[in-house]
Amino acid sequence: NAGVTQTPKFQVLKTGQSMTLQCAQDMNHEYMSWYRQDPGMGLRLIHYSVGAGITDQGEVPNGYNVSRSTTEDFPLRLLSAAPSQTSVYFCASSRGRRGFYEQYFGPGTRLTVT
Amino acid sequence: KNEVEQSPQNLTAQEGEFITINCSYSVGISALHWLQQHPGGGIVSLFMLSSGKKKHGRLIATINIQEKHSSLHITASHPRDSAVYICVGSYNTDKLIFGTGTRLQVFP
């Protein structure tokens, strides 16, 4: 099993550009989440999904969109990148609800917006 | 104010030392997780516990619900234990509050 994969590993964008961060898992997990990690702060939840076709907002959803058309994939779209979105992004999946099941994290995407 | 506080923020140790990282939370939780983030950035889940103690190899996690406190212990520390350790409180089945992490460096 590859576990949770994310692409790209690194990305530099100019302000106003859009892009999609890819996330895929091969463990047949229903629950998937996107987090961002900023220096001096804990991981913060952007969006999450409890199954194909079902998504919901987390703590910091503004400027991001998600969709979940399959169990395996959960892409995160930045609609119009801003310097405040410079961060490291992690995708995670779990067999059940995040609070009670182990989460498996992807390797992260380091995004810089200039 | 973050509802999950970790101490210390930074910790250095010599190989072989016994290490303790502390986590306190301000309101009741359903479960508490410990994560390990390697220098390369990857995050691994170490433990999830809601009471008592769990052990995996040289790692031991404890939680005291009444005192709203959890500890992560590493016995016989090794340089490969160098990482950031993150405490995570689960406040219901979906809401997680992440601590800011404890950076551990173990020197040979």
Side-chain angles (χ1 to χ4, degrees):
Chain A
N1 284 352
V4 180
T5 58
Q6 288 183 240
T7 56
K9 283 196 165 67
F10 301 94
Q11 183 71 49
V12 178
L13 290 178
K14 293 190 189 308
T15 297
Q17 287 184 317
S18 62
M19 78 159 295
T20 299
L21 307 186
Q22 301 291 346
C23 174
Q25 52 91 10
D26 61 0
M27 296 173 282
N28 202 32
H29 287 169
E30 290 295 327
Y31 288 77
M32 296 186 74
S33 306
W34 275 104
Y35 298 93
R36 58 178 290 172
Q37 185 177 42
D38 300 298
M41 301 183 74
L43 285 154
R44 291 183 292 168
L45 181 66
I46 304 171
H47 285 284
Y48 66 99
S49 170
V50 300
I54 306 168
T55 63
D56 206 347
Q57 296 181 350
E59 301 171 65
V60 289
N62 292 342
Y64 308 95
N65 271 0
V66 292
S67 60
R68 184 98 179 269
S69 56
T70 67
T71 299
E72 293 77 20
D73 299 300
F74 190 42
L76 178 73
R77 294 184 193 84
L78 279 71
L79 307 172
S80 177
S84 61
Q85 293 178 305
T86 293
S87 188
V88 182
Y89 292 84
F90 288 95
C91 178
S93 73
S94 59
R95 187 161 58 91
R97 290 188 178 271
R98 289 189 305 278
F100 286 113
Y101 288 87
E102 177 182 0
Q103 285 198 88
Y104 294 81
F105 289 84
T109 294
R110 187 173 294 273
L111 175 68
T112 302
V113 182
T114 61
Chain B
K1 182 180 183 297
N2 198 341
E3 296 167 357
V4 172
E5 300 283 347
Q6 289 185 237
S7 63
Q9 287 189 323
N10 295 283
L11 185 56
T12 58
Q14 289 296 124
E15 185 173 355
E17 285 186 7
F18 181 84
I19 287 161
T20 296
I21 298 169
N22 297 299
C23 175
S24 297
Y25 47 92
S26 57
V27 294
I29 59 170
S30 308
L32 188 131
H33 303 249
W34 282 100
L35 309 178
Q36 179 191 54
Q37 185 168 23
H38 294 287
I43 300 174
V44 174
S45 178
L46 297 176
F47 295 103
M48 186 191 70
L49 63 168
S50 54
S51 65
K53 179 166 90 170
K54 287 191 175 180
K55 183 175 189 290
H56 185 255
R58 295 179 295 105
L59 301 177
I60 303 165
T62 64
I63 188 168
N64 185 316
I65 299 293
Q66 287 74 27
E67 294 185 7
K68 297 185 176 61
H69 181 267
S70 175
S71 293
L72 177 68
H73 306 286
I74 304 175
T75 62
S77 60
H78 189 276
R80 65 174 175 266
D81 296 324
S82 297
V84 175
Y85 293 85
I86 302 168
C87 170
V88 188
S90 166
Y91 287 87
N92 55 39
T93 52
D94 277 325
K95 183 179 178 184
L96 301 179
I97 302 292
F98 290 79
T100 55
T102 294
R103 184 175 300 275
L104 170 67
Q105 288 184 292
V106 182
F107 294 100

PDB file of all heavy atoms in Angstrom, chain B residues 42-61:
ATOM      1  N   GLY B  42       7.241  14.429   7.561  1.00  0.00           N
ATOM      2  CA  GLY B  42       6.192  13.417   7.629  1.00  0.00           C
ATOM      3  C   GLY B  42       5.624  13.274   9.034  1.00  0.00           C
ATOM      4  O   GLY B  42       6.337  13.421  10.026  1.00  0.00           O
ATOM      5  N   ILE B  43       4.327  13.027   9.120  1.00  0.00           N
ATOM      6  CA  ILE B  43       3.624  12.918  10.404  1.00  0.00           C
ATOM      7  C   ILE B  43       3.108  11.504  10.568  1.00  0.00           C
ATOM      8  O   ILE B  43       2.479  10.945   9.663  1.00  0.00           O
ATOM      9  CB  ILE B  43       2.448  13.908  10.472  1.00  0.00           C
ATOM     10  CG1 ILE B  43       2.947  15.346  10.316  1.00  0.00           C
ATOM     11  CG2 ILE B  43       1.700  13.750  11.798  1.00  0.00           C
ATOM     12  CD1 ILE B  43       1.828  16.368  10.221  1.00  0.00           C
ATOM     13  N   VAL B  44       3.372  10.948  11.753  1.00  0.00           N
ATOM     14  CA  VAL B  44       2.947   9.590  12.061  1.00  0.00           C
ATOM     15  C   VAL B  44       2.165   9.615  13.363  1.00  0.00           C
ATOM     16  O   VAL B  44       2.550  10.298  14.311  1.00  0.00           O
ATOM     17  CB  VAL B  44       4.177   8.658  12.206  1.00  0.00           C
ATOM     18  CG1 VAL B  44       3.750   7.285  12.674  1.00  0.00           C
ATOM     19  CG2 VAL B  44       4.931   8.563  10.903  1.00  0.00           C
ATOM     20  N   SER B  45       1.082   8.869  13.403  1.00  0.00           N
ATOM     21  CA  SER B  45       0.312   8.754  14.631  1.00  0.00           C
ATOM     22  C   SER B  45       0.982   7.738  15.538  1.00  0.00           C
ATOM     23  O   SER B  45       1.278   6.621  15.120  1.00  0.00           O
ATOM     24  CB  SER B  45      -1.114   8.312  14.292  1.00  0.00           C
ATOM     25  OG  SER B  45      -1.875   8.157  15.454  1.00  0.00           O
ATOM     26  N   LEU B  46       1.236   8.125  16.803  1.00  0.00           N
ATOM     27  CA  LEU B  46       1.887   7.218  17.757  1.00  0.00           C
ATOM     28  C   LEU B  46       0.861   6.514  18.641  1.00  0.00           C
ATOM     29  O   LEU B  46       0.916   5.307  18.824  1.00  0.00           O
ATOM     30  CB  LEU B  46       2.859   8.005  18.641  1.00  0.00           C
ATOM     31  CG  LEU B  46       4.036   8.681  17.965  1.00  0.00           C
ATOM     32  CD1 LEU B  46       4.818   9.494  18.982  1.00  0.00           C
ATOM     33  CD2 LEU B  46       4.925   7.653  17.295  1.00  0.00           C
ATOM     34  N   PHE B  47      -0.014   7.308  19.249  1.00  0.00           N
ATOM     35  CA  PHE B  47      -0.977   6.756  20.199  1.00  0.00           C
ATOM     36  C   PHE B  47      -2.295   7.504  20.103  1.00  0.00           C
ATOM     37  O   PHE B  47      -2.344   8.676  19.770  1.00  0.00           O
ATOM     38  CB  PHE B  47      -0.481   6.927  21.658  1.00  0.00           C
ATOM     39  CG  PHE B  47       0.745   6.172  22.020  1.00  0.00           C
ATOM     40  CD1 PHE B  47       1.961   6.821  22.115  1.00  0.00           C
ATOM     41  CD2 PHE B  47       0.685   4.803  22.277  1.00  0.00           C
ATOM     42  CE1 PHE B  47       3.107   6.131  22.467  1.00  0.00           C
ATOM     43  CE2 PHE B  47       1.825   4.108  22.622  1.00  0.00           C
ATOM     44  CZ  PHE B  47       3.044   4.768  22.720  1.00  0.00           C
ATOM     45  N   MET B  48      -3.358   6.779  20.452  1.00  0.00           N
ATOM     46  CA  MET B  48      -4.633   7.393  20.761  1.00  0.00           C
ATOM     47  C   MET B  48      -5.104   6.766  22.061  1.00  0.00           C
ATOM     48  O   MET B  48      -5.110   5.543  22.183  1.00  0.00           O
ATOM     49  CB  MET B  48      -5.662   7.144  19.671  1.00  0.00           C
ATOM     50  CG  MET B  48      -6.956   7.896  19.896  1.00  0.00           C
ATOM     51  SD  MET B  48      -8.260   7.375  18.800  1.00  0.00           S
ATOM     52  CE  MET B  48      -8.607   5.747  19.454  1.00  0.00           C
ATOM     53  N   LEU B  49      -5.426   7.606  23.060  1.00  0.00           N
ATOM     54  CA  LEU B  49      -5.873   7.040  24.324  1.00  0.00           C
ATOM     55  C   LEU B  49      -6.929   7.909  24.968  1.00  0.00           C
ATOM     56  O   LEU B  49      -6.937   9.118  24.772  1.00  0.00           O
ATOM     57  CB  LEU B  49      -4.695   6.785  25.280  1.00  0.00           C
ATOM     58  CG  LEU B  49      -3.827   7.910  25.816  1.00  0.00           C
ATOM     59  CD1 LEU B  49      -2.952   7.400  26.959  1.00  0.00           C
ATOM     60  CD2 LEU B  49      -2.967   8.523  24.752  1.00  0.00           C
ATOM     61  N   SER B  50      -7.806   7.285  25.688  1.00  0.00           N
ATOM     62  CA  SER B  50      -8.853   8.002  26.410  1.00  0.00           C
ATOM     63  C   SER B  50      -8.768   7.742  27.907  1.00  0.00           C
ATOM     64  O   SER B  50      -9.426   8.430  28.691  1.00  0.00           O
ATOM     65  CB  SER B  50     -10.236   7.624  25.886  1.00  0.00           C
ATOM     66  OG  SER B  50     -10.394   6.230  25.911  1.00  0.00           O
ATOM     67  N   SER B  51      -7.947   6.782  28.311  1.00  0.00           N
ATOM     68  CA  SER B  51      -7.731   6.537  29.737  1.00  0.00           C
ATOM     69  C   SER B  51      -6.473   5.697  29.892  1.00  0.00           C
ATOM     70  O   SER B  51      -6.046   5.013  28.949  1.00  0.00           O
ATOM     71  CB  SER B  51      -8.925   5.814  30.356  1.00  0.00           C
ATOM     72  OG  SER B  51      -9.055   4.535  29.796  1.00  0.00           O
ATOM     73  N   GLY B  52      -5.885   5.762  31.086  1.00  0.00           N
ATOM     74  CA  GLY B  52      -4.806   4.856  31.428  1.00  0.00           C
ATOM     75  C   GLY B  52      -3.502   5.092  30.700  1.00  0.00           C
ATOM     76  O   GLY B  52      -3.005   6.198  30.604  1.00  0.00           O
ATOM     77  N   LYS B  53      -2.936   4.007  30.208  1.00  0.00           N
ATOM     78  CA  LYS B  53      -1.586   4.036  29.669  1.00  0.00           C
ATOM     79  C   LYS B  53      -1.510   3.118  28.462  1.00  0.00           C
ATOM     80  O   LYS B  53      -2.181   2.081  28.414  1.00  0.00           O
ATOM     81  CB  LYS B  53      -0.633   3.538  30.767  1.00  0.00           C
ATOM     82  CG  LYS B  53       0.819   3.466  30.391  1.00  0.00           C
ATOM     83  CD  LYS B  53       1.703   3.308  31.638  1.00  0.00           C
ATOM     84  CE  LYS B  53       1.950   1.887  32.005  1.00  0.00           C
ATOM     85  NZ  LYS B  53       2.988   1.750  33.067  1.00  0.00           N
ATOM     86  N   LYS B  54      -0.666   3.520  27.476  1.00  0.00           N
ATOM     87  CA  LYS B  54      -0.372   2.640  26.351  1.00  0.00           C
ATOM     88  C   LYS B  54       1.130   2.623  26.129  1.00  0.00           C
ATOM     89  O   LYS B  54       1.822   3.629  26.366  1.00  0.00           O
ATOM     90  CB  LYS B  54      -1.089   3.108  25.080  1.00  0.00           C
ATOM     91  CG  LYS B  54      -2.581   2.848  25.078  1.00  0.00           C
ATOM     92  CD  LYS B  54      -3.187   3.080  23.714  1.00  0.00           C
ATOM     93  CE  LYS B  54      -4.654   2.694  23.723  1.00  0.00           C
ATOM     94  NZ  LYS B  54      -5.296   2.902  22.407  1.00  0.00           N
ATOM     95  N   LYS B  55       1.630   1.493  25.633  1.00  0.00           N
ATOM     96  CA  LYS B  55       3.076   1.337  25.429  1.00  0.00           C
ATOM     97  C   LYS B  55       3.299   0.749  24.047  1.00  0.00           C
ATOM     98  O   LYS B  55       2.599  -0.156  23.615  1.00  0.00           O
ATOM     99  CB  LYS B  55       3.650   0.424  26.507  1.00  0.00           C
ATOM    100  CG  LYS B  55       5.153   0.236  26.473  1.00  0.00           C
ATOM    101  CD  LYS B  55       5.593  -0.590  27.676  1.00  0.00           C
ATOM    102  CE  LYS B  55       7.107  -0.647  27.828  1.00  0.00           C
ATOM    103  NZ  LYS B  55       7.785  -1.432  26.813  1.00  0.00           N
ATOM    104  N   HIS B  56       4.300   1.297  23.357  1.00  0.00           N
ATOM    105  CA  HIS B  56       4.707   0.735  22.080  1.00  0.00           C
ATOM    106  C   HIS B  56       6.214   0.863  21.993  1.00  0.00           C
ATOM    107  O   HIS B  56       6.756   1.962  21.810  1.00  0.00           O
ATOM    108  CB  HIS B  56       4.025   1.468  20.916  1.00  0.00           C
ATOM    109  CG  HIS B  56       4.317   0.843  19.589  1.00  0.00           C
ATOM    110  ND1 HIS B  56       5.188   1.399  18.685  1.00  0.00           N
ATOM    111  CD2 HIS B  56       3.874  -0.293  19.025  1.00  0.00           C
ATOM    112  CE1 HIS B  56       5.262   0.632  17.625  1.00  0.00           C
ATOM    113  NE2 HIS B  56       4.462  -0.405  17.806  1.00  0.00           N
ATOM    114  N   GLY B  57       6.894  -0.267  22.159  1.00  0.00           N
ATOM    115  CA  GLY B  57       8.354  -0.227  22.142  1.00  0.00           C
ATOM    116  C   GLY B  57       8.880   0.609  23.293  1.00  0.00           C
ATOM    117  O   GLY B  57       8.544   0.370  24.452  1.00  0.00           O
ATOM    118  N   ARG B  58       9.691   1.615  22.973  1.00  0.00           N
ATOM    119  CA  ARG B  58      10.261   2.483  24.000  1.00  0.00           C
ATOM    120  C   ARG B  58       9.374   3.677  24.324  1.00  0.00           C
ATOM    121  O   ARG B  58       9.748   4.540  25.127  1.00  0.00           O
ATOM    122  CB  ARG B  58      11.636   2.965  23.536  1.00  0.00           C
ATOM    123  CG  ARG B  58      12.679   1.869  23.386  1.00  0.00           C
ATOM    124  CD  ARG B  58      14.023   2.401  22.895  1.00  0.00           C
ATOM    125  NE  ARG B  58      13.911   2.948  21.542  1.00  0.00           N
ATOM    126  CZ  ARG B  58      13.908   4.237  21.262  1.00  0.00           C
ATOM    127  NH1 ARG B  58      14.000   5.147  22.236  1.00  0.00           N
ATOM    128  NH2 ARG B  58      13.818   4.651  20.011  1.00  0.00           N
ATOM    129  N   LEU B  59       8.237   3.771  23.711  1.00  0.00           N
ATOM    130  CA  LEU B  59       7.325   4.896  23.916  1.00  0.00           C
ATOM    131  C   LEU B  59       6.180   4.488  24.836  1.00  0.00           C
ATOM    132  O   LEU B  59       5.612   3.400  24.682  1.00  0.00           O
ATOM    133  CB  LEU B  59       6.746   5.371  22.584  1.00  0.00           C
ATOM    134  CG  LEU B  59       7.733   5.838  21.523  1.00  0.00           C
ATOM    135  CD1 LEU B  59       6.992   6.212  20.255  1.00  0.00           C
ATOM    136  CD2 LEU B  59       8.560   6.997  22.016  1.00  0.00           C
ATOM    137  N   ILE B  60       5.867   5.372  25.788  1.00  0.00           N
ATOM    138  CA  ILE B  60       4.763   5.152  26.711  1.00  0.00           C
ATOM    139  C   ILE B  60       3.941   6.430  26.769  1.00  0.00           C
ATOM    140  O   ILE B  60       4.504   7.520  26.934  1.00  0.00           O
ATOM    141  CB  ILE B  60       5.272   4.831  28.132  1.00  0.00           C
ATOM    142  CG1 ILE B  60       6.189   3.606  28.108  1.00  0.00           C
ATOM    143  CG2 ILE B  60       4.097   4.599  29.090  1.00  0.00           C
ATOM    144  CD1 ILE B  60       6.999   3.441  29.384  1.00  0.00           C
ATOM    145  N   ALA B  61       2.641   6.297  26.651  1.00  0.00           N
ATOM    146  CA  ALA B  61       1.752   7.456  26.783  1.00  0.00           C
ATOM    147  C   ALA B  61       0.792   7.200  27.926  1.00  0.00           C
ATOM    148  O   ALA B  61       0.263   6.097  28.074  1.00  0.00           O
ATOM    149  CB  ALA B  61       0.980   7.702  25.488  1.00  0.00           C
TER     150      ALA B  61
END
